[in-house]
Amino acid sequence: MSIDRETVLHIAKLARIALTDDEIELFRSQLSDILGHFDVLDGIDTDGIEPTAQILPLENVFAPDVSRPSLPQAEVLKLAPLTDDGYLRVRAVLE
Amino acid sequence: MTSTSATKYETVIGLEVHVQLQTRRKMFCGCSADYADAVPNTHVCPVCMALPGVLPVINEKAVESTVMTALALNCSIPAYSKFDRKNYPYPDLLKGYQISQYDLPLSERGWLEVEVEEQPPRRIGITRVHLEEDTARLTHKTDEAGESYSLLDLNRSGVPLMEIVGEPDLRSPEEARAYLVKLRQILRYIGVSKANMEEGNFRCDANISLRPRGATAYGARVEVKNMNSFRAVENALRFEAERQTRALDAGASITQETRGWVEGEGTVSQRSKEGADDYRYFPEPDLPPVTLTAAQVEAIRAPLPELPDARRRRFEQEFGLPAYEANLLTESRARAEYFERVIAAGAGSGDASRRKRARAAANWMIGDFARLLHASGLEIDDARISPADLCAMIALVEDGAISGTSAKAVFEEMFQSGRAPAAVVRELGLEQISGSDEIAAIVDRVLAANEKPVAEYRAGKQEALKFLVGQAMRESRGRLNAAALTETLTAKLREKA
């Protein structure tokens, strides 16, 4: 399985990152390698095995509906590069 | 819309409704979900702020509320369900993805019965009810230099959000509105959400398309957003149906797109969004699946109250109430339960008198009671008048202890003070005058004081009687039994002729 240049560009666009031509080729080959590993898995006989989305033997891990104190506002704001009157400030995201 | 166009195309509408669940904690962390009047960014912790290394944990109540809603909407509950990551590059969730449910939701395939005036009820399909998390609130601003930026408040980020996806079964804007009204009513009945559209805890997106009448394939559909009231939904859909009709009539094709509703303007084209594939859904590795046994589902179903439609039909049958009144009485669960407590307070009476009392109780609750509650801005649960006292007052009228006219004054006083009817009647001196001598004395005074109307009545003018009845009522401050008064009055008018 190999990934083409267009797919790399599409993924880069979704992730909002700009890539140089060298990087496009680098990621094209690395991503193709990763998918290559799945080809190995495809070769395994999985007849009679239930498909699952989870590898842990867990289910129904719930928290009771009780609230806990949150962080002080100052702690939250301290983590942001830019703040404004109690808000986190980000670049325009109007579509 | 011209009449030919109106019949040429069929309108097809499907609604997606997002409902904030009323829980104490957020969906995946311990922050309080009650952020309504909170200072920005004070209901935030490492989990809903997406700091590295945090682990989300599913709020059990949110799962129960979703399943309960699904059951109320006649959905089936699969034994196995899971959460997925929906990836998108928008800062309203700091994780860069929303935890939602993709291919294995908590419920699927239900229906909701919807009725539009003068038409038989129709079942509208529910595709699924699933659980996800709400996003942070963004406020868009522009600084002095003209540079635009956004302010982020994370308080709403991670609040439990239930999505109810409807099938494209709705056929008119009116029906879409009726669907939403019914849905909100059910959500409030079962108490899972405040479901208030204006407050933003009940939101609706609509998909609408047209197709030639009789066609089975769907036309290109438009998604309409930004509607924050039932009226806005209906108006936006009506606008959009007319816009699409004009386009199709002009031979144009409909562009599949998202449009926003702008009050006073119409629906306005918005930038096209990424297709479903671009969300790159994949199973949430941090959350183990949810499995529900039949017994667990039944345990969630057990506390479901009788739902509005069932209750309305029962009120019609059990109490012989007209559909209109039964509908009003069952509008809210609190009102329906208050009504039933009034009836229960008069238990022991026979079926006929029970029905009679139910009619009286319904009249009070829909009439004066509703009016006074509305005027004082109260909900029925806040009312000072108890169901037992309302029942007792109805009994006083039935027994002839007070007149229907006096009852209104008694009721108003009970409403204001919360005191028992007997005490109010005594205090206001409103015991009904039922002695024939007393009635005769009042009638004599009224006849003596109103010679002209008396003469007119005797000359054949029937309306004069109404005037005389009114005068006698005023004379007695409404304490006369209307039937006894009219009888005495007509007898005396005849006798002296």
Side-chain angles (χ1 to χ4, degrees):
Chain A
M1 175 91 193
S2 83
I3 282 193
D4 60 19
R5 196 183 148 80
E6 275 58 51
T7 306
V8 175
L9 287 172
H10 180 65
I11 296 167
K13 184 177 169 239
L14 290 175
R16 302 299 190 265
I17 52 174
L19 299 179
T20 65
D21 274 349
D22 287 349
E23 285 168 333
I24 293 170
E25 179 47 35
L26 176 69
F27 289 128
R28 196 198 60 73
S29 109
Q30 288 184 349
L31 290 170
S32 298
D33 283 350
I34 291 171
L35 285 187
H37 288 295
F38 285 92
D39 289 339
V40 175
L41 295 178
D42 276 347
I44 298 170
D45 179 9
T46 54
D47 275 359
I49 296 175
E50 279 287 303
T52 182
Q54 263 287 340
I55 52 157
L56 299 172
L58 291 172
E59 56 182 36
N60 298 344
V61 177
F62 296 130
D65 186 30
V66 182
S67 67
R68 285 194 308 244
S70 301
L71 293 173
Q73 193 201 45
E75 291 281 311
V76 173
L77 298 180
K78 211 168 65 186
L79 294 167
L82 217 53
T83 63
D84 188 343
D85 198 22
Y87 293 88
L88 314 189
R89 182 169 163 164
V90 295
R91 268 182 301 166
V93 285
L94 268 175
E95 291 193 22
Chain B
M1 208 188 297
T2 65
S3 59
T4 45
S5 296
T7 50
K8 202 157 82 186
Y9 304 114
E10 182 177 48
T11 308
V12 176
I13 298 169
L15 300 181
E16 283 172 21
V17 175
H18 284 91
V19 180
Q20 271 182 355
L21 294 172
Q22 227 180 336
T23 55
R24 293 193 191 91
R25 65 151 54 199
K26 289 189 182 180
M27 186 62 226
F28 300 115
C29 65
C31 290
S32 165
D34 183 15
Y35 64 90
D37 300 311
V39 172
N41 295 307
T42 53
H43 289 219
V44 186
C45 74
V47 173
C48 54
M49 215 187 170
L51 298 187
V54 295
L55 187 69
V57 185
I58 300 167
N59 181 335
E60 185 165 28
K61 169 94 180 291
V63 172
E64 286 170 2
S65 294
T66 303
V67 171
M68 191 183 244
T69 304
L71 291 171
L73 297 175
N74 310 291
C75 290
S76 57
I77 314 295
Y80 184 97
S81 175
K82 71 173 170 71
F83 286 90
D84 300 273
R85 291 188 181 179
K86 178 184 182 181
N87 300 278
Y88 63 93
Y90 198 67
D92 63 2
L93 277 172
L94 297 191
K95 295 194 295 290
Y97 59 86
Q98 178 190 39
I99 302 180
S100 180
Q101 296 197 281
Y102 182 54
D103 56 341
L104 296 172
L106 278 167
S107 70
E108 51 200 3
R109 292 190 314 278
W111 50 266
L112 177 61
E113 198 172 87
V114 167
E115 213 171 333
V116 178
E117 247 171 278
E118 319 267 307
Q119 282 167 39
R122 291 210 314 126
R123 276 188 185 184
I124 308 302
I126 305 283
T127 316
R128 57 194 276 168
V129 182
H130 74 244
L131 192 50
E132 56 190 35
E133 57 181 331
D134 209 346
T135 60
R137 210 165 59 86
L138 279 164
T139 316
H140 305 299
K141 301 259 183 185
T142 310
D143 65 17
E144 295 91 13
E147 179 102 4
S148 47
Y149 61 97
S150 298
L151 296 180
L152 199 53
D153 173 9
L154 298 174
N155 287 348
R156 196 180 68 183
S157 170
V159 166
L161 196 65
M162 176 171 70
E163 180 169 349
I164 301 162
V165 183
E167 290 286 302
D169 289 347
L170 297 160
R171 291 292 174 266
S172 70
E174 297 74 28
E175 201 170 58
R177 184 193 180 125
Y179 171 90
L180 291 175
V181 170
K182 177 60 91 48
L183 188 57
R184 179 182 65 176
Q185 183 188 34
I186 289 173
L187 294 170
R188 289 181 175 173
Y189 250 74
I190 64 178
V192 296
S193 172
K194 283 194 260 182
N196 188 321
M197 219 167 172
E198 282 77 8
E199 286 173 16
N201 41 46
F202 183 100
R203 305 169 214 149
C204 170
D205 297 332
N207 286 301
I208 173 169
S209 63
L210 301 188
R211 63 180 169 191
R213 205 159 280 279
T216 48
Y218 295 123
R221 69 163 196 251
V222 167
E223 184 175 15
V224 186
K225 289 175 171 287
N226 298 345
M227 303 162 291
N228 52 15
S229 69
F230 288 147
R231 185 193 300 264
V233 173
E234 194 176 341
N235 287 341
L237 289 172
R238 189 168 292 130
F239 178 94
E240 188 54 28
E242 289 173 15
R243 188 188 70 84
Q244 292 186 20
T245 298
R246 277 195 304 274
L248 292 174
D249 276 351
S253 62
I254 304 298
T255 312
Q256 185 152 332
E257 61 175 344
T258 299
R259 299 175 72 88
W261 170 244
V262 181
E263 202 68 53
E265 209 171 306
T267 62
V268 180
S269 184
Q270 295 182 337
R271 214 193 71 168
S272 66
K273 65 172 190 178
E274 291 165 8
D277 286 342
D278 289 353
Y279 288 130
R280 292 149 290 144
Y281 280 99
F282 65 87
E284 168 58 68
D286 287 344
L287 294 174
V290 175
T291 62
L292 291 166
T293 62
Q296 284 169 318
V297 172
E298 286 318 303
I300 295 171
R301 192 198 301 272
L304 268 182
E306 186 181 26
L307 294 175
D309 278 347
R311 200 161 215 165
R312 191 191 69 209
R313 286 187 198 109
R314 182 167 61 80
F315 277 17
E316 288 175 30
Q317 279 162 15
E318 196 175 331
F319 305 120
L321 293 171
Y324 174 77
E325 293 181 6
N327 201 22
L328 283 176
L329 287 173
T330 52
E331 205 169 73
S332 79
R333 185 176 169 185
R335 190 187 286 174
E337 284 176 357
Y338 190 101
F339 175 77
E340 298 219 62
R341 284 200 292 273
V342 174
I343 307 304
S349 43
D351 200 43
S353 68
R354 188 154 165 272
R355 282 177 165 235
K356 198 175 156 205
R357 189 160 296 173
R359 284 303 288 267
N363 284 337
W364 283 107
M365 290 192 58
I366 292 165
D368 288 45
F369 203 174
R371 179 177 57 80
L372 289 168
L373 283 172
H374 184 75
S376 45
L378 294 174
E379 296 296 327
I380 196 152
D381 283 338
D382 310 323
R384 304 186 70 178
I385 178 166
S386 74
D389 281 346
L390 176 54
C391 181
M393 195 210 68
I394 291 167
L396 288 179
V397 180
E398 277 176 15
D399 300 344
I402 53 174
S403 71
T405 318
S406 299
K408 281 180 165 296
V410 172
F411 183 84
E412 183 139 1
E413 176 56 29
M414 289 168 67
F415 181 86
Q416 305 297 351
S417 67
R419 294 172 59 210
V424 171
V425 169
R426 266 197 310 280
E427 183 189 274
L428 298 180
L430 289 174
E431 295 93 341
Q432 178 150 286
I433 299 169
S434 46
S436 52
D437 289 352
E438 275 178 277
I439 296 177
I442 290 169
V443 167
D444 283 341
R445 281 205 297 280
V446 167
L447 294 182
N450 294 283
E451 282 177 23
K452 195 168 166 240
V454 168
E456 283 172 356
Y457 176 80
R458 286 180 175 147
K461 191 178 166 195
Q462 286 293 318
E463 296 90 86
L465 182 66
K466 259 194 233 159
F467 173 78
L468 293 168
V469 167
Q471 292 301 305
M473 276 297 184
R474 179 187 288 188
E475 180 85 17
S476 72
R477 292 188 300 126
R479 292 156 66 209
L480 290 170
N481 175 292
L485 167 63
T486 310
E487 196 184 309
T488 309
L489 195 53
T490 45
K492 282 201 177 274
L493 283 166
R494 236 177 283 128
E495 160 193 316
K496 288 192 181 166

